[in-house]
Amino acid sequence: MIYITVYLCFLQPSCFLHLSAFEDLMAAVWQQVLAVDARCVQDCHWSETLCVHLFFFLHVLYYVFLPLPVLFLRYNAYRTPTFPQFRTQYIRRRSQLLRENAKCGFEPGLRRQYLRLRSQLLALRYGPLSEQSSFRASSVRSSRTTLDRMEDFEEDPRAQGARGHRRSVSRGSYQLQAQMNRAVYDERPPGSLVPTSVAEASRAMAGDTTLSENYAFAGMHHIFDQHVDSAVPRLQFANDDKHLLACCSLDGTLSIMTLSPPPPTVKVTLKGHAGPVTDFAWSLSNDIIVSTSKDGTLRIWNTEDGRCIREVVDPEGSELLCCTFQPMNNNLTVVGNSKHHLQVVNISTGKKVKGGSSKLTGRVLSLSFDAPGRILWAGDDRGSIFSFLFDMATGKLTKAKRLVVNEGSSISSISARSWISREARDPSLLINACVNKLLLYRVVDNEGTLQLKRSFPIQHGSQPLHSIFCPLMSFRQGACVVTGSEDACVYFFDVERNTKAIVNKLQGHSVPVLDVSFNCDESLLASSDATGMVIIWRREQK
């Protein structure tokens, strides 16, 4: 029968490497099929006609059109440069193969060797990774566009898959990060953050300056006192900006200050809260600020004219104590309140995200995401730190781990960092707790489990002190963190030194220093205190 010949012609379609030859073959086959069809119709063999078409259709579908994308993908760079859909097909097939291979597992030694080689090749091709800038470059979107166009996850059908199922984010990246961490830890001395034996080239690029020399300050650049007699609990430079700074005050207002062109001035004052402002956060594009207050409201501000875009009232009527943006989606903000609740809020609609709430053991005082936005840590006034897994597609929070730092001691500040320096990947958390110590924890797994790495003595018994990692990844030996203190000083600590870890100490405040912030190039440092004074410190130029 002729359809058997047709069937055999399609058993090995991959042997046809040229599309024109394949098309000629298809035309010849169809001519034979039509001839068979005409003969069957002429003889009134309708059943045989149906069988021919059905048999031909099924086998062509199975043996031709299923392998055909692979054939096209192999040669599409030469034959179909104007059809980008083949690239999408390739990516889907590649992801499928990776998932299938992942089920078989990997030999640990080979995996570590692969990760090390991959890191070296990426570094040679693209240069050292800058954590903050790399994530911002891939994620910054206009917050105004977000406010105008994005819809609530609870109501948005695009947040669901094509069949109505919720999309989930693969946790393979968590496992990959954990494997990379273990691979790095295997190669360096216990307790070390920076593998100094291989950092000679990097230190040469930095001019062989030490951390003490790098963080030497020439003095005060400017003093702001517009919030006199009211504490300034938080201040922060705008993202990737040298001269734009904001702070909030217990007098119920926020200030946006500009340091250039001189003289430094207050650009705009944000007024509207009926109670003390407890926290705020810049959007990645710096065009909006969200703030929380003890009046029970979350407000969204336009940073250009100081206009309040939206007010979100806490349905429980509780004091709102802290907030932070989801780093990969600035449409979502996480808020903590005085009734122990943590909540994800869609700021474009003012609604809570379904599944985005949880309860802690005490008043929620501090929040911090890891750089990819997949793990959230929250600290309360009972001394506990909780880690949550954040679903990027739905905004849902899943409670993962809990660590009790010290029972009854408030966790006033949490700062997360994936890279301490350019020489070592070491996900870490910097914690201020009321135990007269600054605590540095290592993130040991993909669920945010913490392991104490170092502690540094400071005076911290009751005030809401905050600390930061220095924003630039140092080429030098060592890595630096900065914190306020109740003894009215600003301290710089080298997390690599086992003894005499203090790199520098700035004296100028007369009351407890509550918060500190570096600008993007570390040329200026801002600090605020319990009387409302904000000091801008200028670093010495080398």
Side-chain angles (χ1 to χ4, degrees):
M1 297 293 290
I2 189 63
Y3 58 80
I4 297 179
T5 305
V6 172
Y7 163 72
L8 292 174
C9 288
F10 290 103
L11 287 180
Q12 296 295 332
S14 60
C15 66
F16 305 109
L17 301 183
H18 299 285
L19 188 59
S20 59
F22 186 72
E23 291 174 345
D24 293 340
L25 175 68
M26 286 291 295
V29 168
W30 274 112
Q31 290 177 2
Q32 297 183 52
V33 171
L34 292 175
V36 173
D37 189 18
R39 189 165 56 252
C40 292
V41 171
Q42 184 177 3
D43 297 337
C44 297
H45 296 160
W46 297 102
S47 59
E48 186 174 354
T49 301
L50 179 62
C51 290
V52 168
H53 281 283
L54 181 61
F55 187 85
F56 176 77
F57 172 76
L58 292 177
H59 286 78
V60 167
L61 176 65
Y62 185 79
Y63 287 102
V64 177
F65 292 102
L66 291 183
L68 202 54
V70 178
L71 176 65
F72 282 176
L73 286 171
R74 185 175 179 182
Y75 299 99
N76 68 338
Y78 306 97
R79 299 180 309 193
T80 57
T82 59
F83 294 95
Q85 65 270 22
F86 293 136
R87 180 173 57 184
T88 303
Q89 180 69 28
Y90 161 74
I91 294 173
R92 291 176 178 173
R93 178 57 178 161
R94 180 178 179 272
S95 299
Q96 178 185 355
L97 292 174
L98 288 175
R99 288 195 299 270
E100 292 174 356
N101 292 336
K103 296 177 182 179
C104 302
F106 300 97
E107 199 280 320
L110 292 176
R111 187 67 174 171
R112 286 195 295 269
Q113 183 179 359
Y114 159 74
L115 292 173
R116 287 194 296 269
L117 180 60
R118 178 178 180 273
S119 299
Q120 294 170 6
L121 292 175
L122 289 174
L124 289 174
R125 177 64 180 84
Y126 299 105
L129 174 64
S130 176
E131 175 195 11
Q132 300 295 330
S133 61
S134 62
F135 279 107
R136 286 172 186 152
S138 62
S139 65
V140 172
R141 297 185 297 268
S142 170
S143 299
R144 293 191 184 95
T145 302
T146 298
L147 286 172
D148 293 339
R149 299 179 59 185
M150 292 198 66
E151 299 177 2
D152 190 10
F153 276 111
E154 297 178 44
E155 302 173 357
D156 188 357
R158 293 171 296 178
Q160 301 183 2
R163 299 182 181 179
H165 300 295
R166 290 285 182 180
R167 294 194 299 263
S168 61
V169 177
S170 171
R171 298 175 65 183
S173 58
Y174 290 127
Q175 298 167 358
L176 177 60
Q177 177 174 331
Q179 291 171 351
M180 292 179 68
N181 295 344
R182 288 194 294 271
V184 173
Y185 299 154
D186 292 343
E187 291 192 334
R188 66 173 187 246
S192 175
L193 288 176
V194 181
T196 57
S197 61
V198 295
E200 297 299 331
S202 295
R203 287 199 294 272
M205 293 176 64
D208 292 325
T209 58
T210 65
L211 279 182
S212 299
E213 294 171 333
N214 187 55
Y215 292 110
F217 284 77
M220 298 180 186
H221 177 67
H222 191 76
I223 297 176
F224 290 98
D225 60 357
Q226 67 271 20
H227 299 291
V228 63
D229 297 330
S230 294
V232 174
R234 298 305 311 273
L235 82 165
Q236 184 182 0
F237 276 95
N239 296 304
D240 297 323
D241 196 295
K242 296 181 182 180
H243 304 112
L244 194 60
L245 173 71
C247 67
C248 65
S249 172
L250 299 187
D251 64 9
T253 65
L254 299 94
S255 298
I256 299 177
M257 300 154 280
T258 179
L259 307 180
S260 181
T265 58
V266 177
K267 176 183 176 182
V268 64
T269 301
L270 311 180
K271 298 180 179 180
H273 282 293
V277 183
T278 54
D279 198 4
F280 76 96
W282 289 92
S283 67
L284 285 177
S285 50
N286 296 329
D287 55 354
I288 66 170
I289 280 177
V290 296
S291 62
T292 55
S293 171
K294 290 186 177 180
D295 64 5
T297 64
L298 171 76
R299 286 180 177 262
I300 299 97
W301 307 88
N302 185 312
T303 58
E304 288 299 320
D305 56 16
R307 177 173 51 92
C308 181
I309 301 173
R310 179 169 286 109
E311 178 185 18
V312 181
V313 179
D314 185 81
E316 299 178 337
S318 59
E319 298 177 344
L320 301 185
L321 304 178
C322 57
C323 63
T324 187
F325 274 111
Q326 211 288 335
M328 295 294 104
N329 182 0
N330 277 188
N331 192 54
L332 300 180
T333 300
V334 184
V335 181
N337 68 21
S338 61
K339 292 187 177 180
H340 309 182
H341 287 136
L342 192 66
Q343 181 64 54
V344 181
V345 178
N346 186 315
I347 62 173
S348 67
T349 63
K351 296 180 180 180
K352 293 183 176 180
V353 174
K354 185 177 181 180
S357 62
S358 187
K359 190 170 185 179
L360 277 63
T361 55
R363 301 164 69 235
V364 186
L365 301 180
S366 52
L367 300 167
S368 183
F369 274 101
D370 66 345
R374 293 173 181 144
I375 303 178
L376 171 70
W377 289 274
D380 62 25
D381 65 348
R382 301 289 181 85
S384 295
I385 300 176
F386 292 83
S387 66
F388 298 87
L389 302 182
F390 188 91
D391 191 315
M392 305 287 283
T394 64
K396 181 180 179 181
L397 290 175
T398 302
K399 188 179 291 185
K401 299 293 182 178
R402 178 192 178 192
L403 170 71
V404 179
V405 176
N406 189 62
E407 190 68 37
S409 298
S410 297
I411 307 298
S412 60
S413 174
I414 302 176
S415 296
R417 186 70 176 268
S418 295
W419 292 75
I420 290 287
S421 80
R422 292 180 184 267
E423 300 297 339
R425 181 180 179 85
D426 197 14
S428 302
L429 238 60
L430 192 61
I431 306 293
N432 284 98
C434 297
V435 293
N436 290 317
K437 292 179 181 179
L438 176 65
L439 306 173
L440 184 66
Y441 284 88
R442 174 179 288 122
V443 182
V444 298
D445 63 18
N446 54 12
E447 293 188 337
T449 303
L450 302 177
Q451 181 183 57
L452 183 63
K453 186 162 32 183
R454 288 289 307 274
S455 65
F456 308 95
I458 61 171
Q459 290 188 23
H460 187 188
S462 60
Q463 296 289 334
L465 304 186
H466 295 82
S467 57
I468 57 169
F469 290 97
C470 290
L472 295 184
M473 296 182 190
S474 177
F475 283 108
R476 303 161 185 82
Q477 180 175 340
C480 198
V481 297
V482 187
T483 182
S485 176
E486 292 181 357
D487 63 0
C489 296
V490 177
Y491 288 94
F492 295 73
F493 290 103
D494 182 354
V495 298
E496 275 290 282
R497 293 186 186 178
N498 294 323
T499 59
K500 298 181 179 180
I502 296 179
V503 173
N504 197 358
K505 181 172 73 171
L506 302 181
Q507 297 174 303
H509 294 276
S510 59
V511 293
V513 180
L514 303 182
D515 200 5
V516 290
S517 179
F518 260 121
N519 67 350
C520 62
D521 66 352
E522 295 186 355
S523 60
L524 297 171
L525 174 75
S527 58
S528 64
D529 65 26
T531 62
M533 180 180 294
V534 175
I535 299 179
I536 311 299
W537 308 85
R538 185 179 69 257
R539 202 179 69 179
E540 289 184 355
Q541 299 299 320
K542 298 297 181 181

